[in-house]
Amino acid sequence: MLLRQVMLSGLLASSLVSVAQKAPKKYLKQYEPVAVNLMKETGIPASVILGVAMLESGAGTSRNAKLLRNHFGIVGRNNLAKRGETYRSKYREYQTDTASYRHFVKLIQKRKWYPGMKGNEDYNVWIAKLNASGYSTAEHVWVNRVTAMIKRYKLYELDDELNLAKQ
């Protein structure tokens, strides 16, 4: 009996790890084109857009990403109560996932430092500027997590297209 429980626990744990590993790959496949297009339009590196989105949405697995299509932890109004959802959230609801991405880059474009950064492919500087402007209350922890996400999934490779656009 004990052996059976241990084996079942092991199978459950390995299946959870498998699902956890598939979520980022699936997320990247779905949203990489959105981030690259926004990078080409705005000069904001796709690595920054995707790194923040992946962290804030748990690679699309968070309730806010699923119920509100909010991939960036942006606070605002939502219609969860009107839809009869029992989950309560202070985060903004979007009509589409892409609308969430577009709103994020618009927020960046409103920052005073944006014109001087536009086209800069150094994701570390972008993340530092976002942090300094109060994007996240987690501050240096947030910076480290976004940076780790970018490095882990080699999101910086997407920024090569930003360099090509400059030439």
Side-chain angles (χ1 to χ4, degrees):
M1 183 70 165
L2 180 61
L3 180 60
R4 183 177 175 192
Q5 287 177 334
V6 169
M7 288 178 62
L8 286 174
S9 296
L11 286 173
L12 178 61
S14 67
S15 67
L16 289 175
V17 168
S18 176
V19 168
Q21 289 172 347
K22 289 179 185 176
K25 290 178 184 177
K26 182 180 175 186
Y27 189 86
L28 286 171
K29 185 176 181 179
Q30 185 172 358
Y31 295 108
E32 187 177 301
V34 174
V36 169
N37 285 336
L38 287 170
M39 173 182 68
K40 290 176 182 177
E41 289 175 24
T42 65
I44 301 167
S47 62
V48 173
I49 298 167
L50 273 173
V52 173
M54 290 179 74
L55 176 67
E56 298 290 345
S57 72
T61 62
S62 73
R63 281 187 168 186
N64 288 332
K66 290 177 181 179
L67 294 174
L68 302 172
R69 293 175 292 281
N70 186 330
H71 294 258
F72 296 91
I74 297 170
V75 176
R77 293 182 177 214
N78 64 63
N79 292 316
L80 290 174
K82 288 181 183 176
R83 293 197 323 247
E85 296 284 346
T86 56
Y87 175 64
R88 299 287 177 249
S89 177
K90 66 180 182 178
Y91 295 100
R92 181 175 172 160
E93 183 171 16
Y94 293 92
Q95 291 295 316
T96 65
D97 296 296
T98 302
S100 174
Y101 273 76
R102 287 203 171 278
H103 187 229
F104 174 71
V105 297
K106 282 182 183 177
L107 290 174
I108 292 176
Q109 288 177 304
K110 290 179 182 177
R111 307 290 179 162
K112 289 179 185 178
W113 47 263
Y114 168 73
M117 287 293 296
K118 186 177 179 181
N120 183 334
E121 69 276 356
D122 187 347
Y123 64 85
N124 289 303
V125 177
W126 281 92
I127 294 167
K129 294 272 189 186
L130 273 171
N131 183 48
S133 64
Y135 183 79
S136 173
T137 57
E139 298 179 0
H140 297 294
V141 172
W142 181 83
V143 168
N144 291 339
R145 288 180 179 171
V146 174
T147 303
M149 196 69 70
I150 291 170
K151 288 178 180 177
R152 180 175 185 182
Y153 296 103
K154 299 179 182 175
L155 301 178
Y156 51 81
E157 292 176 356
L158 300 172
D159 301 340
D160 289 342
E161 291 191 43
L162 186 59
N163 291 329
L164 293 175
K166 284 190 219 176
Q167 296 175 354

